[in-house]
Amino acid sequence: MTEKSSISIFDENYKRIEERIFEAAIKSGRKREDIILLAATKTVPANVINHAIQSGISYIGENRVQEFLSKEAELLDTAHRHFIGHLQSNKAKDIVGRVEMIQSVHSVKLAKIIGEISLKKDIVTDILLEINIGEEENKSGFFKDNVTEAIFEISKIKGICVKGIMSIPPICEKRAQLINNFEELYKLFIDIKAKKIDNINMDYLSMGMSGDFYEAILSGSNIIRLGTALFGQRDYNI
Ligand SMILES: *Cc1c(COP(=O)(O)O)cnc(C)c1O
């Protein structure tokens, strides 16, 4: 795909996506500004990401440490940068301090490591806890029934601040199943919020991707992460 066409693909998609987000926000009793549209930028070259930022995208999320580091210097610094991919403990040092939020914290161990590195850098890293709502073996994240216990432990870790939860629910053929997963996540989000645990804020519920962001917003999501819906089909999947 040429760069020019990637840019025109983005322009066409972005307008349509914005209308859908607006519609879903209103339908869920909220305002457009209440929903964060994060562009999932894996495999997208820096110049296309910068075009998206200049067009109004204010949050970007990368999946791979190496890929992020290779684009980092070229990226406009006006967008919030999040890390959304699977993070191995030994790679945490390369990402802490370079992004505003790590959305994909899947274990107490990783939370502790991020905390330790943050303390050394004299910063506090905002994180979301990743929930494996479908309890799928090939995915990481906390199981719904274990997360509360983990949260009490995580709340004591210095150097991090929990801002909410994120999830990549299983691919569902049935719409009802999809919505059921989103509703379970929303319920979990509300339940944790109600506990009012120190250092645990439930500001963000990050769920919804290209195929299901409309339903996710209706179920209460306030961060949607869109890749293909904005940038078109990726040449390869990571
Ligand atoms: C790739 C990715 C997305 C976006 O996926 P699309 O289906 O292309 O919108 C969202 N979240 C995470 C964690 C991703 O890795």
Side-chain angles (χ1 to χ4, degrees):
M1 203 188 289
T2 68
E3 283 166 8
K4 188 137 196 280
S5 76
S6 313
I7 281 174
S8 51
I9 287 171
F10 170 84
D11 289 343
E12 281 168 30
N13 289 336
Y14 185 37
K15 200 165 165 288
R16 227 173 345 103
I17 295 290
E18 268 301 331
E19 286 166 5
R20 294 279 289 161
I21 299 171
F22 180 83
E23 195 184 307
I26 301 299
K27 210 170 165 183
S28 70
R30 291 176 291 169
K31 301 196 201 74
R32 169 65 190 90
E33 310 88 87
D34 297 333
I35 317 291
I36 290 173
L37 164 58
L38 176 140
T41 51
K42 55 179 174 257
T43 79
V44 181
N47 68 309
V48 180
I49 301 173
N50 286 342
H51 170 77
I53 295 171
Q54 283 168 327
S55 308
I57 292 287
S58 48
Y59 286 81
I60 59 170
E62 280 284 338
N63 275 72
R64 284 191 162 179
V65 175
Q66 223 34 59
E67 186 183 344
F68 170 65
L69 296 178
S70 73
K71 295 182 205 170
E72 189 186 16
E74 285 177 77
L75 295 175
L76 292 172
D77 62 6
T78 49
H80 303 270
R81 299 171 186 186
H82 287 192
F83 191 78
I84 61 173
H86 183 76
L87 185 58
Q88 289 166 307
S89 301
N90 62 349
K91 298 267 178 72
K93 63 180 186 322
D94 301 323
I95 210 81
V96 170
R98 311 188 99 97
V99 294
E100 190 179 282
M101 185 185 282
I102 299 175
Q103 289 203 9
S104 37
V105 177
H106 51 74
S107 65
V108 175
K109 180 183 164 209
L110 179 61
K112 280 183 181 157
I113 290 170
I114 294 171
E116 280 164 22
I117 300 166
S118 301
L119 284 181
K120 277 190 204 137
K121 297 192 179 203
D122 209 17
I123 58 170
V124 175
T125 302
D126 287 344
I127 65 167
L128 301 184
L129 301 177
E130 181 169 356
I131 310 296
N132 184 352
I133 195 70
E135 310 201 343
E136 294 167 282
E137 267 178 36
N138 60 341
K139 274 187 194 154
S140 43
F142 297 93
F143 285 7
K144 186 172 50 115
D145 293 338
N146 306 343
V147 71
T148 310
E149 200 184 313
I151 272 185
F152 281 104
E153 204 175 333
I154 291 168
S155 73
K156 298 186 199 108
I157 303 171
K158 302 269 181 288
I160 56 168
C161 184
V162 176
K163 295 282 187 181
I165 58 174
M166 82 83 96
S167 188
I168 310 169
I171 295 165
C172 296
E173 281 170 20
K174 296 207 175 73
R175 198 168 171 273
Q177 226 170 341
L178 171 93
I179 291 169
N180 190 50
N181 282 326
F182 286 152
E183 286 181 349
E184 276 195 17
L185 286 160
Y186 182 71
K187 186 174 179 300
L188 186 64
F189 174 71
I190 294 297
D191 286 350
I192 299 170
K193 192 189 265 211
K195 292 191 196 318
K196 298 192 192 309
I197 307 162
D198 262 2
N199 204 23
I200 306 289
N201 306 283
M202 284 290 126
D203 297 334
Y204 299 114
L205 174 57
S206 174
M207 63 181 190
M209 305 187 355
S210 290
D212 53 21
F213 68 90
Y214 193 88
E215 290 81 1
I217 295 171
L218 294 188
S219 299
S221 166
N222 60 8
I223 301 183
I224 54 169
R225 310 176 309 266
L226 305 190
T228 49
L230 288 172
F231 300 107
Q233 210 59 45
R234 287 180 287 275
D235 292 343
Y236 58 98
N237 241 310
I238 59 167

